[in-house]
Amino acid sequence: MKNNIFENSKRVFLDCVDAKDYVQLDRVSTIYQSLKDSVKKPLKMVLLYGKPGTGKSMFLNKLYHDLSTSQKVIIYQTPILDENEFFKSLAQDLFDVKYQGELNFTQFMNILKKHIRDGEEVPLVLLDEAQLYPSVQMEKIRLLSDTRSVKFVITLHKTQKEDLIAKEHFKTRIWETIELENALNNELKIYIQKKLMKANCFDTANMFNQRSVNYIYKITKGNYRDTNKLLYTLFEIYSWYLQNSPSSIKTNEMSKKIIEMSAIHTGLIDA
Amino acid sequence: MLNVHDLERRHKVYKLKVLLPYIVIFVSLVVILIVILFVNNSDMFKSNEVKHNQEIIQKHIEQTKHIVLEEVVEKNETLQAIPNKQELKEVKVDETIVLVPSLNFIANIKHSSTSSDVNYERVINKKDQTKEITKTEAKQKIALKPAKKEPEPVIIEEIELQRDNPLKIHRQNTDDDINHVIKRFSKNNNPALSLFIAKKYYEMQDYHQSYNYALITNRINDNIDSSWIIFAKSLVKLNRKQEAVETLKRYIEHSKSSQAKTLLEEIERGKFK
């Protein structure tokens, strides 16, 4: 049923970070491969940065998904802002140490010295949304990475403030920085169609011609998160029309009107 | 839950918002075009109005020119008394009458040229006229009346007959008269008018123009004696005596005109130069 197609297509664009939903694009794959290579290098820290919605969290999740089977890797998708809780979580996740009471930086370093042995692979800690950590805590993360006992991959939003953080805390320590950018026009079409085809939504994938993708690109500027939001609403509207007024929609191509309605609903267009 | 109806309404507002600048630009352009067209039309209307007004003014001028001034000068009056004795009569001619130059009047002048006491070639302007008046002792009033066939008198004339200096013709606004007649001629191509113009120019010693208008008259009607006479005279004045003689000879063969014969003799004998 058409209704199911639109409903399925809608679910494809749910805004969630799942490594299974990762779409391989040529440029993104190259960047991801360079990230994987960087992780293997004996460096203290890798900084992954970019504007919101450029796929940093997805990258980190994909990395975690790919490396978790081969090495010790933990991911904190939401920042643990309390310093005590942060070190306690690290102690438990890295060394299965359940510490009773408060655990400060010095105490955590003692635990680290006890559990790290020479020649062992350094555990990898992936910190998402690192710009939310307090600067004092970030300073301690930096010191921790200096010991080379724990390797960090952190993601930052690329804003003026976050650039400052990067400069102050990681300037001398970060071995590699990787910037993620919005999709290009042709990449966006591949992204949409690959995502839909992964979920066997071939009919809806074929509805996206270059003209409609161009218009979506104009609205979202290639931002993956905005595109997901827009297309989720788009298929929701299509689904509604199919149920309530099927004659008012065409299923062979994307309606510009419905794209605009979706953009209005998601706030991408100021109506 | 999506409220699609509300979204549709918001979408309409959005489209209006997007199209508004284009609509405003389009409407502005249309308004500008309309204003430009209106302004142009009003200018044209004004110019037409001005033309119309000018026509009305010209009509009025025509009407006022239908004034025949008669100057009565009594004989044996002292020089100081002369101005007091002058009587001017204004006669307004009916508006419906079409102005046509009195060809007979010209003919009269022509005939009078043969008499010994009239020197019609002396056309004196106003200043000269006043000088002449101071010198003359007696003047005789001659009021030229319109020709019988052409009842509309046009010419405002003051003719003074002098015993010592036979005849003096005073014309007012000669240039205006000619220009006016030229306009009328350009409208109706009446050979009488072109002949009148030719004669006027001849009187004003503008022989090129008199030649031209006589030629035009001949082309319209080649049986008018006066026109051929003026044509030949103008040629003589333009130092084209031989052409004048040949023209007159051909015309005499064709028309047997006595006037033309007389003029031919005068030219050949050298009396007319």
Side-chain angles (χ1 to χ4, degrees):
Chain A
M1 277 178 70
K2 289 276 176 192
N3 187 23
N4 286 340
I5 288 171
F6 288 129
E7 282 296 321
N8 291 340
S9 304
K10 184 177 91 174
R11 277 184 225 112
V12 169
F13 293 100
L14 261 173
D15 190 23
C16 62
V17 180
D18 189 344
K20 289 176 189 172
D21 296 335
Y22 177 79
V23 177
Q24 277 212 328
L25 301 168
D26 290 346
R27 192 166 58 104
V28 177
S29 294
T30 309
I31 294 169
Y32 180 71
Q33 193 55 48
S34 70
L35 177 65
K36 273 177 87 175
D37 294 344
S38 301
V39 167
K40 286 174 186 171
K41 288 174 188 170
L43 45 89
K44 297 173 186 174
M45 208 174 264
V46 177
L47 175 63
L48 196 61
Y49 70 101
K51 289 175 185 170
T54 48
K56 299 183 295 292
S57 299
M58 179 60 89
F59 252 61
L60 215 58
N61 220 277
K62 173 77 175 158
L63 190 67
Y64 173 75
H65 189 262
D66 288 353
L67 298 178
S68 56
T69 51
S70 58
Q71 71 174 89
K72 186 76 176 176
V73 55
I74 58 170
I75 182 167
Y76 294 138
Q77 289 180 330
T78 51
I80 304 167
L81 301 176
D82 183 77
E83 193 181 310
N84 177 43
E85 281 299 314
F86 178 74
F87 287 121
K88 277 169 83 172
S89 300
L90 269 184
Q92 187 171 350
D93 294 337
L94 288 175
F95 313 113
D96 285 329
V97 176
K98 290 186 178 177
Y99 197 84
Q100 298 299 319
E102 284 199 359
L103 181 65
N104 57 28
F105 178 69
T106 314
Q107 289 163 330
F108 179 78
M109 289 300 281
N110 290 333
I111 294 169
L112 194 67
K113 279 174 191 171
K114 282 180 191 172
H115 289 85
I116 292 291
R117 291 168 193 167
D118 291 340
E120 270 191 3
E121 196 173 22
V122 177
L124 184 65
V125 179
L126 310 177
L127 298 179
D128 199 4
E129 308 282 358
Q131 77 279 354
L132 296 174
Y133 286 98
S135 56
V136 177
Q137 199 172 335
M138 273 320 293
E139 190 63 21
K140 285 169 183 170
I141 291 168
R142 178 185 67 80
L143 289 169
L144 196 58
S145 69
D146 279 350
T147 63
R148 293 185 183 273
S149 304
V150 182
K151 196 185 286 181
F152 286 92
V153 175
I154 63 171
T155 67
L156 283 174
H157 283 178
K158 191 190 178 187
T159 63
Q160 200 174 1
K161 191 184 169 189
E162 280 106 40
D163 281 350
L164 193 69
I165 292 168
K167 277 179 188 172
E168 286 177 354
H169 298 286
F170 312 116
K171 195 174 179 181
T172 55
R173 290 165 184 86
I174 292 165
W175 204 81
E176 191 153 327
T177 58
I178 295 166
E179 183 178 4
L180 293 178
E181 288 176 340
N182 286 335
L184 300 174
N185 199 333
N186 57 336
E187 287 174 343
L188 195 68
K189 187 180 179 185
I190 295 166
Y191 171 77
I192 293 167
Q193 290 188 328
K194 272 193 172 182
K195 236 171 147 46
L196 285 167
M197 284 192 279
K198 257 186 167 182
N200 295 324
C201 301
F202 298 105
D203 289 340
T204 48
N206 286 331
M207 287 171 74
F208 289 92
N209 55 25
Q210 194 56 50
R211 203 173 69 172
S212 56
V213 172
N214 286 348
Y215 196 56
I216 291 168
Y217 181 82
K218 192 181 166 188
I219 294 168
T220 64
K221 296 178 179 65
N223 188 281
Y224 294 106
R225 186 174 294 154
D226 288 343
T227 305
N228 289 346
K229 274 164 64 181
L230 181 82
L231 296 184
Y232 179 87
T233 312
L234 180 93
F235 286 117
E236 198 174 5
I237 295 169
Y238 260 105
S239 184
W240 185 91
Y241 274 118
L242 200 64
Q243 285 173 355
N244 299 288
S245 176
S247 60
S248 58
I249 54 165
K250 289 178 185 174
T251 52
N252 58 341
E253 64 173 352
M254 277 294 151
S255 156
K256 191 182 175 186
K257 179 191 169 186
I258 297 178
I259 294 172
E260 284 172 343
M261 283 167 69
S262 311
I264 291 165
H265 183 72
T266 50
L268 293 167
I269 282 178
D270 182 27
Chain B
M1 186 66 187
L2 268 179
N3 184 348
V4 175
H5 293 298
D6 180 58
L7 260 180
E8 282 179 335
R9 185 190 58 76
R10 287 171 67 192
H11 180 258
K12 278 179 189 170
V13 172
Y14 164 73
K15 290 304 276 186
L16 196 68
K17 206 171 153 184
V18 168
L19 292 173
L20 194 64
Y22 298 103
I23 293 168
V24 168
I25 290 166
F26 178 75
V27 169
S28 306
L29 285 173
V30 168
V31 167
I32 289 165
L33 275 173
I34 288 168
V35 167
I36 289 168
L37 286 173
F38 179 76
V39 168
N40 284 345
N41 283 341
S42 66
D43 283 349
M44 281 173 67
F45 177 74
K46 277 180 184 174
S47 63
N48 285 339
E49 218 171 55
V50 168
K51 279 180 186 173
H52 182 68
N53 287 341
Q54 282 176 345
E55 282 173 7
I56 290 169
I57 289 164
Q58 280 182 349
K59 276 184 182 176
H60 280 289
I61 290 166
E62 267 182 41
Q63 288 171 10
T64 54
K65 281 181 180 173
H66 292 193
I67 297 167
V68 176
L69 290 175
E70 291 184 357
E71 186 181 333
V72 179
V73 183
E74 288 187 0
K75 287 181 183 178
N76 300 323
E77 278 187 353
T78 58
L79 292 172
Q80 289 175 343
I82 290 168
N84 297 331
K85 295 285 182 179
Q86 286 179 342
E87 285 180 20
L88 296 174
K89 273 189 180 177
E90 284 191 8
V91 180
K92 282 193 177 178
V93 181
D94 193 343
E95 288 179 14
T96 55
I97 296 169
V98 180
L99 293 175
V100 177
S102 169
L103 298 178
N104 286 347
F105 156 67
I106 302 295
N108 286 340
I109 294 170
K110 173 70 188 162
H111 285 302
S112 61
S113 69
T114 53
S115 64
S116 60
D117 59 342
V118 177
N119 183 5
Y120 69 92
E121 286 181 3
R122 286 191 62 189
V123 179
I124 304 165
N125 61 23
K126 273 190 172 180
K127 284 182 181 177
D128 293 332
Q129 179 191 354
T130 52
K131 284 177 187 174
E132 290 294 329
I133 288 166
T134 55
K135 288 177 183 175
T136 54
E137 291 180 3
K139 294 179 182 176
Q140 189 176 351
K141 169 202 153 191
I142 297 173
L144 293 176
K145 289 181 181 175
K148 285 175 186 176
K149 288 179 182 176
E150 295 160 343
E152 319 80 37
V154 184
I155 307 128
I156 304 161
E157 291 176 305
E158 184 183 280
I159 299 172
E160 296 174 1
L161 191 63
Q162 203 175 353
R163 282 183 179 174
D164 296 337
N165 300 315
L167 179 66
K168 288 168 190 171
I169 301 168
H170 301 275
R171 295 182 185 279
Q172 292 177 348
N173 299 323
T174 310
D175 287 335
D176 288 345
D177 284 350
I178 289 181
N179 289 334
H180 177 65
V181 178
I182 287 169
K183 276 182 190 173
R184 289 174 57 206
F185 172 72
S186 63
K187 283 179 187 173
N188 59 18
N189 269 357
N190 188 340
L193 292 178
S194 54
L195 177 58
F196 176 79
I197 296 160
K199 285 178 175 177
K200 280 277 184 185
Y201 275 124
Y202 186 83
E203 285 169 20
M204 291 165 68
Q205 300 181 351
D206 189 345
Y207 301 115
H208 278 287
Q209 289 291 1
S210 63
Y211 166 83
N212 287 336
Y213 277 96
L215 186 64
I216 290 166
T217 310
N218 293 340
R219 280 177 183 167
I220 297 168
N221 185 349
D222 58 0
N223 289 320
I224 303 172
D225 279 4
S226 307
S227 178
W228 287 104
I229 299 291
I230 287 291
F231 183 72
K233 281 182 174 179
S234 301
L235 279 172
V236 174
K237 294 289 183 187
L238 292 168
N239 294 322
R240 291 155 70 181
K241 188 179 170 182
Q242 194 54 39
E243 279 182 54
V245 169
E246 284 172 12
T247 306
L248 281 172
K249 279 178 181 173
R250 269 186 240 149
Y251 180 65
I252 290 161
E253 282 174 16
H254 168 70
S255 67
K256 313 291 181 193
S257 166
S258 58
Q259 271 188 322
K261 282 177 187 172
T262 310
L263 180 63
L264 180 62
E265 281 173 14
E266 282 178 2
I267 292 168
E268 282 176 337
R269 285 176 191 171
K271 281 185 179 178
F272 184 83
K273 290 179 183 175

